Amino acid sequence: MSALVTGGAGFIGRHVVGELLDRGVAVRVLDDLSRARPGSLEAFSGQPGYLGLTQGDVADQAALRRGLMGVDTLFHLAASVDVGASVHGPADVIRANVLGTLNVLEAARTEGLRLVLVSTCHVYASARRPLDERAASAPASPYAASKLASDDLAGGYRRAFGLRHTIVRPFNVYGPWQRGDLEGGVVARFLQAALAGRTLDVHGDGAQTRDFVFVDDAARGIVDASVETAVGHTLNLATGQETSIRELAELIDDGAGRVRQVPHPHPQAEVERYLGNAARARALLDWRPRVALPQGLVRTRAWFSELA
């Protein structure tokens, strides 16, 4: 296998690149670096199989063509992920996520590439029970709607053109290299605040729950999803355990008394409960999360401590 990872300098993408290289896969990255931490790809420089960075926007067809030279598999992670920004200015997220995915689908179709499309749990309605891949969709923001539209586009390409694709929906991913100033980075935000002695600001009452997946587990599942037996499937990556945002803050604060509630910046886009069912990924990929939340927080805190 040789692969292009779009968004490969971003949080999850960077770990997907590392997982592929560890498996002996030749990898190139396409990224505009707008959401990457500085130095995120430096560790791969000079490694056997690392084909380097093509800097560009996935919505730019010319940049995408440059990145695709000599690869047979596409992992599409490039996306605008800021829920709040999508509420205040939907056009940018639609361009990045829908037009960008359309370009990827066209490239995969015309070049006959295997495609793994990384989606999100945000396409689902709030969980009444653990969400499997048949659960109702109810996007609560333009961001979530753009990701669901991308998934539907991929399904249309599979039915019309026989595109060999798999959709992967990770739940709430956290871990080293996450940015706390982007949407979804609540673990990073809380850890950075705790290490700096600042308050841990919980939006709203903090009762909203999330299913937190350590990034190494998510990256492993995304790479596993490139097997042919997963073609045509949508796969959740989830732990089946839910934690409220308030509980997460208290766990990270560890009794320091710095947790406080603040008004939610975009309550209309909040989802009350995320809890995933990953039975299909277990059945098709033998994928299971290996890192529980307490262990993952220790590892993530250690990484952020080295940055301080």
Side-chain angles (χ1 to χ4, degrees), residues 32-65:
D32 66 3
L33 303 183
S34 63
R35 298 170 185 85
R37 278 186 171 273
S40 64
L41 299 174
E42 286 180 0
F44 305 132
S45 181
Q47 282 196 29
Y50 181 58
L51 304 178
L53 167 70
T54 297
Q55 188 169 346
D57 185 340
V58 74
D60 178 349
Q61 292 182 357
L64 182 57
R65 283 196 299 271

PDB file of all heavy atoms in Angstrom, residues 32-65:
ATOM      1  N   ASP A  32      -2.932  22.074   4.379  1.00  0.00           N
ATOM      2  CA  ASP A  32      -2.639  23.511   4.228  1.00  0.00           C
ATOM      3  C   ASP A  32      -2.039  24.103   5.498  1.00  0.00           C
ATOM      4  O   ASP A  32      -1.724  25.298   5.542  1.00  0.00           O
ATOM      5  CB  ASP A  32      -3.889  24.280   3.807  1.00  0.00           C
ATOM      6  CG  ASP A  32      -4.989  24.296   4.863  1.00  0.00           C
ATOM      7  OD1 ASP A  32      -4.780  23.748   5.978  1.00  0.00           O
ATOM      8  OD2 ASP A  32      -6.071  24.847   4.598  1.00  0.00           O
ATOM      9  N   LEU A  33      -1.883  23.274   6.541  1.00  0.00           N
ATOM     10  CA  LEU A  33      -1.228  23.614   7.812  1.00  0.00           C
ATOM     11  C   LEU A  33      -2.005  24.635   8.645  1.00  0.00           C
ATOM     12  O   LEU A  33      -1.491  25.130   9.649  1.00  0.00           O
ATOM     13  CB  LEU A  33       0.212  24.119   7.579  1.00  0.00           C
ATOM     14  CG  LEU A  33       1.129  23.156   6.820  1.00  0.00           C
ATOM     15  CD1 LEU A  33       2.544  23.754   6.720  1.00  0.00           C
ATOM     16  CD2 LEU A  33       1.167  21.785   7.492  1.00  0.00           C
ATOM     17  N   SER A  34      -3.244  24.908   8.280  1.00  0.00           N
ATOM     18  CA  SER A  34      -4.015  25.911   9.010  1.00  0.00           C
ATOM     19  C   SER A  34      -4.434  25.434  10.397  1.00  0.00           C
ATOM     20  O   SER A  34      -4.706  26.254  11.274  1.00  0.00           O
ATOM     21  CB  SER A  34      -5.256  26.307   8.202  1.00  0.00           C
ATOM     22  OG  SER A  34      -6.117  25.193   8.019  1.00  0.00           O
ATOM     23  N   ARG A  35      -4.501  24.123  10.605  1.00  0.00           N
ATOM     24  CA  ARG A  35      -4.950  23.580  11.896  1.00  0.00           C
ATOM     25  C   ARG A  35      -3.907  22.699  12.560  1.00  0.00           C
ATOM     26  O   ARG A  35      -4.191  22.002  13.523  1.00  0.00           O
ATOM     27  CB  ARG A  35      -6.258  22.788  11.699  1.00  0.00           C
ATOM     28  CG  ARG A  35      -7.399  23.659  11.195  1.00  0.00           C
ATOM     29  CD  ARG A  35      -8.604  22.836  10.782  1.00  0.00           C
ATOM     30  NE  ARG A  35      -9.620  23.698  10.190  1.00  0.00           N
ATOM     31  CZ  ARG A  35      -9.629  24.059   8.914  1.00  0.00           C
ATOM     32  NH1 ARG A  35      -8.697  23.621   8.094  1.00  0.00           N
ATOM     33  NH2 ARG A  35     -10.570  24.860   8.446  1.00  0.00           N
ATOM     34  N   ALA A  36      -2.696  22.736  12.033  1.00  0.00           N
ATOM     35  CA  ALA A  36      -1.637  21.860  12.565  1.00  0.00           C
ATOM     36  C   ALA A  36      -0.853  22.565  13.661  1.00  0.00           C
ATOM     37  O   ALA A  36      -0.634  23.780  13.609  1.00  0.00           O
ATOM     38  CB  ALA A  36      -0.697  21.454  11.439  1.00  0.00           C
ATOM     39  N   ARG A  37      -0.432  21.804  14.644  1.00  0.00           N
ATOM     40  CA  ARG A  37       0.524  22.321  15.613  1.00  0.00           C
ATOM     41  C   ARG A  37       1.887  22.446  14.940  1.00  0.00           C
ATOM     42  O   ARG A  37       2.256  21.604  14.102  1.00  0.00           O
ATOM     43  CB  ARG A  37       0.643  21.388  16.813  1.00  0.00           C
ATOM     44  CG  ARG A  37      -0.430  21.552  17.868  1.00  0.00           C
ATOM     45  CD  ARG A  37      -0.130  20.678  19.066  1.00  0.00           C
ATOM     46  NE  ARG A  37      -1.018  20.961  20.174  1.00  0.00           N
ATOM     47  CZ  ARG A  37      -0.808  21.904  21.086  1.00  0.00           C
ATOM     48  NH1 ARG A  37       0.276  22.660  21.009  1.00  0.00           N
ATOM     49  NH2 ARG A  37      -1.654  22.101  22.068  1.00  0.00           N
ATOM     50  N   PRO A  38       2.654  23.470  15.288  1.00  0.00           N
ATOM     51  CA  PRO A  38       3.997  23.587  14.708  1.00  0.00           C
ATOM     52  C   PRO A  38       4.823  22.327  14.961  1.00  0.00           C
ATOM     53  O   PRO A  38       4.808  21.764  16.060  1.00  0.00           O
ATOM     54  CB  PRO A  38       4.586  24.792  15.448  1.00  0.00           C
ATOM     55  CG  PRO A  38       3.403  25.602  15.886  1.00  0.00           C
ATOM     56  CD  PRO A  38       2.329  24.597  16.193  1.00  0.00           C
ATOM     57  N   GLY A  39       5.507  21.878  13.936  1.00  0.00           N
ATOM     58  CA  GLY A  39       6.390  20.730  14.084  1.00  0.00           C
ATOM     59  C   GLY A  39       5.708  19.384  14.114  1.00  0.00           C
ATOM     60  O   GLY A  39       6.346  18.380  14.451  1.00  0.00           O
ATOM     61  N   SER A  40       4.433  19.336  13.734  1.00  0.00           N
ATOM     62  CA  SER A  40       3.707  18.083  13.882  1.00  0.00           C
ATOM     63  C   SER A  40       4.260  16.963  13.010  1.00  0.00           C
ATOM     64  O   SER A  40       4.114  15.782  13.338  1.00  0.00           O
ATOM     65  CB  SER A  40       2.220  18.287  13.564  1.00  0.00           C
ATOM     66  OG  SER A  40       2.039  18.651  12.206  1.00  0.00           O
ATOM     67  N   LEU A  41       4.918  17.302  11.904  1.00  0.00           N
ATOM     68  CA  LEU A  41       5.435  16.280  10.996  1.00  0.00           C
ATOM     69  C   LEU A  41       6.951  16.085  11.102  1.00  0.00           C
ATOM     70  O   LEU A  41       7.509  15.236  10.399  1.00  0.00           O
ATOM     71  CB  LEU A  41       5.071  16.631   9.552  1.00  0.00           C
ATOM     72  CG  LEU A  41       3.570  16.713   9.234  1.00  0.00           C
ATOM     73  CD1 LEU A  41       3.368  17.209   7.802  1.00  0.00           C
ATOM     74  CD2 LEU A  41       2.895  15.370   9.441  1.00  0.00           C
ATOM     75  N   GLU A  42       7.600  16.838  11.959  1.00  0.00           N
ATOM     76  CA  GLU A  42       9.066  16.799  12.013  1.00  0.00           C
ATOM     77  C   GLU A  42       9.598  15.413  12.359  1.00  0.00           C
ATOM     78  O   GLU A  42      10.634  14.987  11.841  1.00  0.00           O
ATOM     79  CB  GLU A  42       9.581  17.821  13.028  1.00  0.00           C
ATOM     80  CG  GLU A  42       9.485  19.256  12.554  1.00  0.00           C
ATOM     81  CD  GLU A  42       9.998  20.235  13.588  1.00  0.00           C
ATOM     82  OE1 GLU A  42      10.431  19.786  14.675  1.00  0.00           O
ATOM     83  OE2 GLU A  42       9.950  21.448  13.324  1.00  0.00           O
ATOM     84  N   ALA A  43       8.896  14.676  13.210  1.00  0.00           N
ATOM     85  CA  ALA A  43       9.383  13.370  13.645  1.00  0.00           C
ATOM     86  C   ALA A  43       9.446  12.367  12.498  1.00  0.00           C
ATOM     87  O   ALA A  43      10.159  11.362  12.584  1.00  0.00           O
ATOM     88  CB  ALA A  43       8.491  12.819  14.754  1.00  0.00           C
ATOM     89  N   PHE A  44       8.714  12.632  11.412  1.00  0.00           N
ATOM     90  CA  PHE A  44       8.679  11.683  10.296  1.00  0.00           C
ATOM     91  C   PHE A  44       9.749  11.968   9.250  1.00  0.00           C
ATOM     92  O   PHE A  44      10.004  11.128   8.381  1.00  0.00           O
ATOM     93  CB  PHE A  44       7.302  11.719   9.629  1.00  0.00           C
ATOM     94  CG  PHE A  44       6.162  11.477  10.577  1.00  0.00           C
ATOM     95  CD1 PHE A  44       5.054  12.313  10.572  1.00  0.00           C
ATOM     96  CD2 PHE A  44       6.198  10.437  11.487  1.00  0.00           C
ATOM     97  CE1 PHE A  44       3.999  12.095  11.438  1.00  0.00           C
ATOM     98  CE2 PHE A  44       5.157  10.207  12.364  1.00  0.00           C
ATOM     99  CZ  PHE A  44       4.050  11.045  12.346  1.00  0.00           C
ATOM    100  N   SER A  45      10.355  13.131   9.318  1.00  0.00           N
ATOM    101  CA  SER A  45      11.349  13.501   8.316  1.00  0.00           C
ATOM    102  C   SER A  45      12.508  12.506   8.329  1.00  0.00           C
ATOM    103  O   SER A  45      13.085  12.206   9.372  1.00  0.00           O
ATOM    104  CB  SER A  45      11.877  14.909   8.600  1.00  0.00           C
ATOM    105  OG  SER A  45      12.822  15.286   7.636  1.00  0.00           O
ATOM    106  N   GLY A  46      12.821  11.971   7.164  1.00  0.00           N
ATOM    107  CA  GLY A  46      13.915  11.011   7.052  1.00  0.00           C
ATOM    108  C   GLY A  46      13.530   9.574   7.327  1.00  0.00           C
ATOM    109  O   GLY A  46      14.349   8.667   7.145  1.00  0.00           O
ATOM    110  N   GLN A  47      12.306   9.331   7.789  1.00  0.00           N
ATOM    111  CA  GLN A  47      11.876   7.958   8.031  1.00  0.00           C
ATOM    112  C   GLN A  47      11.659   7.240   6.705  1.00  0.00           C
ATOM    113  O   GLN A  47      11.126   7.819   5.743  1.00  0.00           O
ATOM    114  CB  GLN A  47      10.570   7.916   8.837  1.00  0.00           C
ATOM    115  CG  GLN A  47      10.734   8.161  10.316  1.00  0.00           C
ATOM    116  CD  GLN A  47       9.497   7.715  11.093  1.00  0.00           C
ATOM    117  OE1 GLN A  47       8.790   6.802  10.695  1.00  0.00           O
ATOM    118  NE2 GLN A  47       9.252   8.376  12.220  1.00  0.00           N
ATOM    119  N   PRO A  48      12.024   5.966   6.618  1.00  0.00           N
ATOM    120  CA  PRO A  48      11.728   5.195   5.412  1.00  0.00           C
ATOM    121  C   PRO A  48      10.232   5.187   5.134  1.00  0.00           C
ATOM    122  O   PRO A  48       9.431   4.947   6.040  1.00  0.00           O
ATOM    123  CB  PRO A  48      12.233   3.791   5.744  1.00  0.00           C
ATOM    124  CG  PRO A  48      13.230   3.987   6.834  1.00  0.00           C
ATOM    125  CD  PRO A  48      12.749   5.173   7.630  1.00  0.00           C
ATOM    126  N   GLY A  49       9.863   5.475   3.924  1.00  0.00           N
ATOM    127  CA  GLY A  49       8.459   5.455   3.549  1.00  0.00           C
ATOM    128  C   GLY A  49       7.764   6.795   3.634  1.00  0.00           C
ATOM    129  O   GLY A  49       6.679   6.962   3.065  1.00  0.00           O
ATOM    130  N   TYR A  50       8.346   7.777   4.324  1.00  0.00           N
ATOM    131  CA  TYR A  50       7.689   9.083   4.404  1.00  0.00           C
ATOM    132  C   TYR A  50       7.995   9.877   3.142  1.00  0.00           C
ATOM    133  O   TYR A  50       9.150  10.212   2.864  1.00  0.00           O
ATOM    134  CB  TYR A  50       8.137   9.841   5.653  1.00  0.00           C
ATOM    135  CG  TYR A  50       7.464  11.203   5.779  1.00  0.00           C
ATOM    136  CD1 TYR A  50       6.077  11.295   5.828  1.00  0.00           C
ATOM    137  CD2 TYR A  50       8.214  12.377   5.824  1.00  0.00           C
ATOM    138  CE1 TYR A  50       5.455  12.529   5.936  1.00  0.00           C
ATOM    139  CE2 TYR A  50       7.593  13.606   5.935  1.00  0.00           C
ATOM    140  CZ  TYR A  50       6.211  13.678   5.988  1.00  0.00           C
ATOM    141  OH  TYR A  50       5.592  14.911   6.083  1.00  0.00           O
ATOM    142  N   LEU A  51       6.955  10.174   2.382  1.00  0.00           N
ATOM    143  CA  LEU A  51       7.097  10.825   1.082  1.00  0.00           C
ATOM    144  C   LEU A  51       6.985  12.342   1.154  1.00  0.00           C
ATOM    145  O   LEU A  51       7.040  13.016   0.125  1.00  0.00           O
ATOM    146  CB  LEU A  51       6.034  10.278   0.113  1.00  0.00           C
ATOM    147  CG  LEU A  51       6.039   8.759  -0.085  1.00  0.00           C
ATOM    148  CD1 LEU A  51       4.905   8.340  -1.017  1.00  0.00           C
ATOM    149  CD2 LEU A  51       7.390   8.296  -0.621  1.00  0.00           C
ATOM    150  N   GLY A  52       6.815  12.878   2.361  1.00  0.00           N
ATOM    151  CA  GLY A  52       6.841  14.315   2.546  1.00  0.00           C
ATOM    152  C   GLY A  52       5.470  14.968   2.509  1.00  0.00           C
ATOM    153  O   GLY A  52       4.435  14.308   2.422  1.00  0.00           O
ATOM    154  N   LEU A  53       5.496  16.289   2.594  1.00  0.00           N
ATOM    155  CA  LEU A  53       4.299  17.122   2.659  1.00  0.00           C
ATOM    156  C   LEU A  53       4.067  17.831   1.333  1.00  0.00           C
ATOM    157  O   LEU A  53       4.981  18.462   0.787  1.00  0.00           O
ATOM    158  CB  LEU A  53       4.448  18.166   3.776  1.00  0.00           C
ATOM    159  CG  LEU A  53       3.425  19.311   3.787  1.00  0.00           C
ATOM    160  CD1 LEU A  53       2.033  18.800   4.183  1.00  0.00           C
ATOM    161  CD2 LEU A  53       3.884  20.424   4.742  1.00  0.00           C
ATOM    162  N   THR A  54       2.850  17.722   0.826  1.00  0.00           N
ATOM    163  CA  THR A  54       2.383  18.601  -0.241  1.00  0.00           C
ATOM    164  C   THR A  54       1.498  19.640   0.422  1.00  0.00           C
ATOM    165  O   THR A  54       0.428  19.300   0.938  1.00  0.00           O
ATOM    166  CB  THR A  54       1.585  17.823  -1.299  1.00  0.00           C
ATOM    167  OG1 THR A  54       2.434  16.859  -1.919  1.00  0.00           O
ATOM    168  CG2 THR A  54       1.040  18.773  -2.361  1.00  0.00           C
ATOM    169  N   GLN A  55       1.944  20.874   0.467  1.00  0.00           N
ATOM    170  CA  GLN A  55       1.164  21.910   1.147  1.00  0.00           C
ATOM    171  C   GLN A  55       0.105  22.447   0.204  1.00  0.00           C
ATOM    172  O   GLN A  55       0.410  22.920  -0.898  1.00  0.00           O
ATOM    173  CB  GLN A  55       2.065  23.051   1.630  1.00  0.00           C
ATOM    174  CG  GLN A  55       1.308  24.053   2.506  1.00  0.00           C
ATOM    175  CD  GLN A  55       2.238  25.035   3.205  1.00  0.00           C
ATOM    176  OE1 GLN A  55       3.455  24.830   3.250  1.00  0.00           O
ATOM    177  NE2 GLN A  55       1.672  26.093   3.772  1.00  0.00           N
ATOM    178  N   GLY A  56      -1.135  22.346   0.615  1.00  0.00           N
ATOM    179  CA  GLY A  56      -2.226  22.822  -0.221  1.00  0.00           C
ATOM    180  C   GLY A  56      -3.571  22.505   0.396  1.00  0.00           C
ATOM    181  O   GLY A  56      -3.681  21.753   1.370  1.00  0.00           O
ATOM    182  N   ASP A  57      -4.591  23.077  -0.199  1.00  0.00           N
ATOM    183  CA  ASP A  57      -5.971  22.962   0.250  1.00  0.00           C
ATOM    184  C   ASP A  57      -6.640  21.817  -0.514  1.00  0.00           C
ATOM    185  O   ASP A  57      -6.551  21.752  -1.743  1.00  0.00           O
ATOM    186  CB  ASP A  57      -6.672  24.291  -0.051  1.00  0.00           C
ATOM    187  CG  ASP A  57      -8.091  24.361   0.468  1.00  0.00           C
ATOM    188  OD1 ASP A  57      -8.689  23.305   0.729  1.00  0.00           O
ATOM    189  OD2 ASP A  57      -8.607  25.483   0.598  1.00  0.00           O
ATOM    190  N   VAL A  58      -7.335  20.929   0.197  1.00  0.00           N
ATOM    191  CA  VAL A  58      -7.962  19.794  -0.464  1.00  0.00           C
ATOM    192  C   VAL A  58      -9.070  20.244  -1.411  1.00  0.00           C
ATOM    193  O   VAL A  58      -9.439  19.495  -2.332  1.00  0.00           O
ATOM    194  CB  VAL A  58      -8.496  18.802   0.597  1.00  0.00           C
ATOM    195  CG1 VAL A  58      -9.764  19.334   1.263  1.00  0.00           C
ATOM    196  CG2 VAL A  58      -8.739  17.437   0.001  1.00  0.00           C
ATOM    197  N   ALA A  59      -9.592  21.447  -1.230  1.00  0.00           N
ATOM    198  CA  ALA A  59     -10.584  21.975  -2.167  1.00  0.00           C
ATOM    199  C   ALA A  59      -9.953  22.477  -3.456  1.00  0.00           C
ATOM    200  O   ALA A  59     -10.661  22.861  -4.389  1.00  0.00           O
ATOM    201  CB  ALA A  59     -11.391  23.095  -1.506  1.00  0.00           C
ATOM    202  N   ASP A  60      -8.622  22.473  -3.520  1.00  0.00           N
ATOM    203  CA  ASP A  60      -7.868  22.871  -4.711  1.00  0.00           C
ATOM    204  C   ASP A  60      -7.506  21.602  -5.487  1.00  0.00           C
ATOM    205  O   ASP A  60      -6.682  20.808  -5.051  1.00  0.00           O
ATOM    206  CB  ASP A  60      -6.612  23.631  -4.279  1.00  0.00           C
ATOM    207  CG  ASP A  60      -5.728  24.055  -5.442  1.00  0.00           C
ATOM    208  OD1 ASP A  60      -5.949  23.595  -6.575  1.00  0.00           O
ATOM    209  OD2 ASP A  60      -4.793  24.832  -5.209  1.00  0.00           O
ATOM    210  N   GLN A  61      -8.127  21.414  -6.643  1.00  0.00           N
ATOM    211  CA  GLN A  61      -7.927  20.177  -7.396  1.00  0.00           C
ATOM    212  C   GLN A  61      -6.470  19.976  -7.797  1.00  0.00           C
ATOM    213  O   GLN A  61      -5.967  18.857  -7.797  1.00  0.00           O
ATOM    214  CB  GLN A  61      -8.813  20.175  -8.643  1.00  0.00           C
ATOM    215  CG  GLN A  61     -10.293  20.077  -8.332  1.00  0.00           C
ATOM    216  CD  GLN A  61     -11.130  20.029  -9.596  1.00  0.00           C
ATOM    217  OE1 GLN A  61     -10.627  20.119 -10.711  1.00  0.00           O
ATOM    218  NE2 GLN A  61     -12.428  19.872  -9.425  1.00  0.00           N
ATOM    219  N   ALA A  62      -5.777  21.052  -8.146  1.00  0.00           N
ATOM    220  CA  ALA A  62      -4.380  20.929  -8.573  1.00  0.00           C
ATOM    221  C   ALA A  62      -3.510  20.429  -7.429  1.00  0.00           C
ATOM    222  O   ALA A  62      -2.638  19.563  -7.618  1.00  0.00           O
ATOM    223  CB  ALA A  62      -3.865  22.261  -9.101  1.00  0.00           C
ATOM    224  N   ALA A  63      -3.725  20.958  -6.221  1.00  0.00           N
ATOM    225  CA  ALA A  63      -2.949  20.514  -5.061  1.00  0.00           C
ATOM    226  C   ALA A  63      -3.228  19.040  -4.765  1.00  0.00           C
ATOM    227  O   ALA A  63      -2.317  18.271  -4.452  1.00  0.00           O
ATOM    228  CB  ALA A  63      -3.282  21.376  -3.843  1.00  0.00           C
ATOM    229  N   LEU A  64      -4.487  18.648  -4.890  1.00  0.00           N
ATOM    230  CA  LEU A  64      -4.843  17.255  -4.630  1.00  0.00           C
ATOM    231  C   LEU A  64      -4.174  16.330  -5.644  1.00  0.00           C
ATOM    232  O   LEU A  64      -3.652  15.275  -5.288  1.00  0.00           O
ATOM    233  CB  LEU A  64      -6.362  17.094  -4.671  1.00  0.00           C
ATOM    234  CG  LEU A  64      -6.924  15.708  -4.363  1.00  0.00           C
ATOM    235  CD1 LEU A  64      -6.478  15.215  -2.998  1.00  0.00           C
ATOM    236  CD2 LEU A  64      -8.448  15.712  -4.458  1.00  0.00           C
ATOM    237  N   ARG A  65      -4.153  16.723  -6.900  1.00  0.00           N
ATOM    238  CA  ARG A  65      -3.500  15.894  -7.926  1.00  0.00           C
ATOM    239  C   ARG A  65      -2.014  15.720  -7.631  1.00  0.00           C
ATOM    240  O   ARG A  65      -1.459  14.630  -7.807  1.00  0.00           O
ATOM    241  CB  ARG A  65      -3.697  16.514  -9.303  1.00  0.00           C
ATOM    242  CG  ARG A  65      -5.091  16.302  -9.897  1.00  0.00           C
ATOM    243  CD  ARG A  65      -5.094  16.591 -11.390  1.00  0.00           C
ATOM    244  NE  ARG A  65      -4.728  17.966 -11.681  1.00  0.00           N
ATOM    245  CZ  ARG A  65      -5.587  18.974 -11.755  1.00  0.00           C
ATOM    246  NH1 ARG A  65      -6.880  18.764 -11.571  1.00  0.00           N
ATOM    247  NH2 ARG A  65      -5.175  20.200 -12.030  1.00  0.00           N
TER     248      ARG A  65
END
